[in-house]
Amino acid sequence: MVEQCFSSSFRRQDILFDDYIYSGDFDIALNLEYCNSGFGIGLTNSEGVSLSDKQEVLLFKMGNKSLDVILLNKDSQKTLATFNAAFAKTYTKDLKCILQKRDAIFTLYIREKKVCTFKSPIEFETYNLIYYSNKDNKILNINIASSIPYG
């Protein structure tokens, strides 16, 4: 089990890259000050040392009352699914999100309400986590329960 807690404000559109290498299932719980539409949690293969080295990213991206599951690679971006996420409203002071991974099945909760269950076309044996956000959003804290990372 790994627990990471921190606060991070996004002054512009940006990506935070967690360089720990994870394996297995996880639960990520985060609290967010959601000011501007556009925040996501993603997984990427663990090969390479920087985000620019990554071949594929699976991103769960919240919009305003919606959630897109997006597959990105170096050459393209494809929306795999779109879900209604009525609780993902902008200007929410303490938006609680939980993303669970069980094998290739991902379940996302917003404000303790299940938004989606999604089967990934990619099996991530080892992976890094990323956090995407538009400007002015703030991660209040993150808790990660997972297999022990190595690397």
Side-chain angles (χ1 to χ4, degrees):
M1 178 170 176
V2 174
E3 184 173 303
Q4 299 176 342
C5 296
F6 67 91
S7 177
S8 181
S9 294
F10 291 85
R11 300 204 191 306
R12 64 186 193 304
Q13 183 180 17
D14 207 354
I15 294 174
L16 296 177
F17 174 66
D18 182 346
D19 62 356
Y20 281 112
I21 298 174
Y22 295 90
S23 64
D25 297 337
F26 67 68
D27 288 358
I28 298 172
L30 64 85
N31 291 68
L32 178 67
E33 192 170 295
Y34 194 47
C35 297
N36 283 316
S37 180
F39 180 84
I41 302 170
L43 281 83
T44 185
N45 58 320
S46 62
E47 289 102 33
V49 293
S50 71
L51 189 54
S52 61
D53 295 333
K54 305 303 181 178
Q55 295 298 314
E56 295 177 309
V57 175
L58 183 66
L59 181 66
F60 293 82
K61 182 183 173 198
M62 289 188 306
N64 189 30
K65 300 183 181 182
S66 68
L67 174 81
D68 291 325
V69 181
I70 302 169
L71 182 62
L72 303 121
N73 63 38
K74 290 191 180 240
D75 301 321
S76 67
Q77 172 178 317
K78 181 179 179 184
T79 300
L80 302 177
T82 299
F83 299 94
N84 179 18
F87 296 103
K89 296 187 294 189
T90 54
Y91 305 108
T92 303
K93 290 277 186 191
D94 192 9
L95 185 65
K96 183 174 184 174
C97 303
I98 298 171
L99 180 63
Q100 297 176 331
K101 175 186 178 296
R102 302 294 182 266
D103 297 320
I105 306 292
F106 292 85
T107 305
L108 182 84
Y109 299 86
I110 298 175
R111 290 193 165 174
E112 300 179 8
K113 306 285 186 202
K114 186 194 285 189
V115 173
C116 73
T117 299
F118 179 79
K119 184 172 184 349
S120 174
I122 302 168
E123 286 273 349
F124 290 96
E125 299 234 354
T126 59
Y127 51 89
N128 299 104
L129 297 172
I130 64 166
Y131 305 93
Y132 159 86
S133 183
N134 279 333
K135 69 177 217 146
D136 297 329
N137 293 325
K138 181 177 183 180
I139 297 173
L140 302 173
N141 62 54
I142 299 175
N143 294 298
I144 303 170
S146 171
S147 301
I148 300 294
Y150 62 92

